[in-house]
Amino acid sequence: MKYLIFNWKNYVSSEAQARLLLNLYPNFFPHRVVVAPSVVWFFLLKKKNFLFASQDGPVIKEGALTGDLSPSIYRHFKIKYVIIGHSERRNFHQETDGLINQKIKTSLALGLIPILCVGENKKQRQSGLTKKIIKQQIEKDLKGLKTIPHLIVAYEPIWAIYPGQPDKPADSLLAIKYLRTILKRYKIGDLKIIYGGSVNSKNILDFLKYPEVEGVLIGKAGTLPQEVKKIKLKVANNKIK
Ligand code: PGA
């Protein structure tokens, strides 16, 4: 069973599109589907039989925080997962590893499952710095955490995110294997490592065919109904478990 995590980002801007997509997601049997819509579409999630993520994590458990979600909102909408440290938050909102670390700690304290995104930029990849960068990110983002019940780490090379070009599956496999080695230092009850960056119906199986790639984080393609249908057919008609 692989994770198929659909990150809508801010692509879905009408209720009709949101409803249409939500109706397309169930039954990616035997895989686990997690959907991360914008907050405005949370009200549509009730009674849906798949899992939900927030596109960002909470900084503090309780208290005044303009623009953030309260723990009761997570509970109310049965949000189980939180994407933390996405490169778009790191780059456009100047989120630091320190803040990301705090969000991970708060999320774990609230019983949420972090989906931690790490990855290098194009220049760093070209200079052979991928391992160094993702190691630094992991060490800073998980600082002070020895025991983690449940964690998903998404390897997302920044340059591969749509409209960039997807990573070569064999290269992302190397990064994912490396991540698994460095994550051995932590006591993680349930760890999954997945790939993200321009995954679509044409290339999804090239990533998922590796047992080490335990899922994918899908942005743009997961908001296009025709693509979602094709992705579903691809994974359903394949022996990948
Ligand atoms: P993409 O987004 O599939 O549109 O590249 C993936 C992500 O950034 O989560």
Side-chain angles (χ1 to χ4, degrees):
M1 185 198 66
K2 307 266 192 182
Y3 269 95
L4 299 176
I5 304 178
F6 293 95
N7 174 14
W8 286 8
K9 308 192 181 193
N10 57 353
Y11 287 127
V12 178
S13 50
S14 81
E15 187 175 329
Q17 189 189 4
R19 285 186 187 277
L20 175 66
L21 288 168
L22 290 174
N23 286 333
L24 290 176
Y25 289 135
N27 305 323
F28 277 66
F29 187 78
H31 306 291
R32 178 169 290 174
V33 172
V34 179
V35 183
S38 309
V39 179
V40 285
W41 308 126
F42 277 7
F43 77 99
L44 295 173
L45 307 185
K46 292 206 156 174
K47 297 196 190 129
K48 297 284 177 194
N49 64 348
F50 35 91
L51 300 159
F52 296 103
S54 170
Q55 292 187 14
D56 191 19
V59 181
I60 52 172
K61 269 168 87 172
E62 303 289 346
L65 206 45
T66 302
D68 275 16
L69 300 181
S70 69
S72 53
I73 295 286
Y74 288 107
R75 278 192 291 275
H76 182 74
F77 290 105
K78 301 197 171 63
I79 303 295
K80 229 182 133 176
Y81 299 82
V82 276
I83 298 175
I84 300 177
H86 193 284
S87 57
E88 288 150 14
R89 307 279 326 165
R90 292 180 191 259
N91 295 333
F92 294 108
H93 293 267
Q94 281 76 45
E95 289 202 5
T96 61
D97 288 299
L99 179 62
I100 290 162
N101 176 253
Q102 194 177 338
K103 287 183 176 183
I104 290 181
K105 286 178 175 162
T106 304
S107 298
L108 290 171
L110 290 170
L112 299 162
I113 300 171
I115 303 168
L116 169 63
C117 301
V118 295
E120 81 289 352
N121 65 30
K122 187 85 186 166
K123 207 165 151 215
Q124 291 161 338
R125 166 63 78 96
Q126 285 165 342
S127 318
L129 293 173
T130 300
K131 284 186 178 177
K132 187 176 168 200
I133 298 297
I134 57 180
K135 182 169 182 273
Q136 276 173 358
Q137 287 173 329
I138 291 290
E139 283 170 356
K140 290 180 183 169
D141 299 346
L142 299 185
K143 195 171 167 196
L145 287 161
K146 293 257 161 344
T147 311
I148 304 170
H150 200 148
L151 179 72
I152 300 176
V153 175
Y155 171 59
E156 293 212 312
I158 300 170
W159 49 272
I161 292 172
Y162 182 88
Q165 290 302 311
D167 195 6
K168 288 199 190 94
D171 288 348
S172 59
L173 177 65
L174 288 179
I176 283 174
K177 282 184 173 172
Y178 178 68
L179 279 169
R180 188 162 291 281
T181 326
I182 51 177
L183 285 160
K184 285 215 169 87
R185 277 189 232 150
Y186 305 85
K187 266 198 200 137
I188 305 175
D190 185 1
L191 169 67
K192 296 280 180 281
I193 309 181
I194 66 175
Y195 167 79
S198 296
V199 172
N200 56 39
S201 64
K202 289 200 179 77
N203 63 24
I204 187 165
L205 295 182
D206 299 334
F207 293 99
L208 291 183
K209 71 179 180 199
Y210 298 115
E212 293 89 346
V213 181
E214 295 171 300
V216 281
L217 186 49
I218 309 173
K220 180 70 177 175
T223 60
L224 305 172
Q226 288 312 320
E227 269 293 287
V228 176
K229 284 181 198 163
K230 285 187 201 162
I231 289 171
K232 201 180 208 173
L233 277 176
K234 280 259 169 115
V235 296
N237 291 337
N238 199 277
K239 288 193 281 298
I240 288 166
K241 285 282 181 288

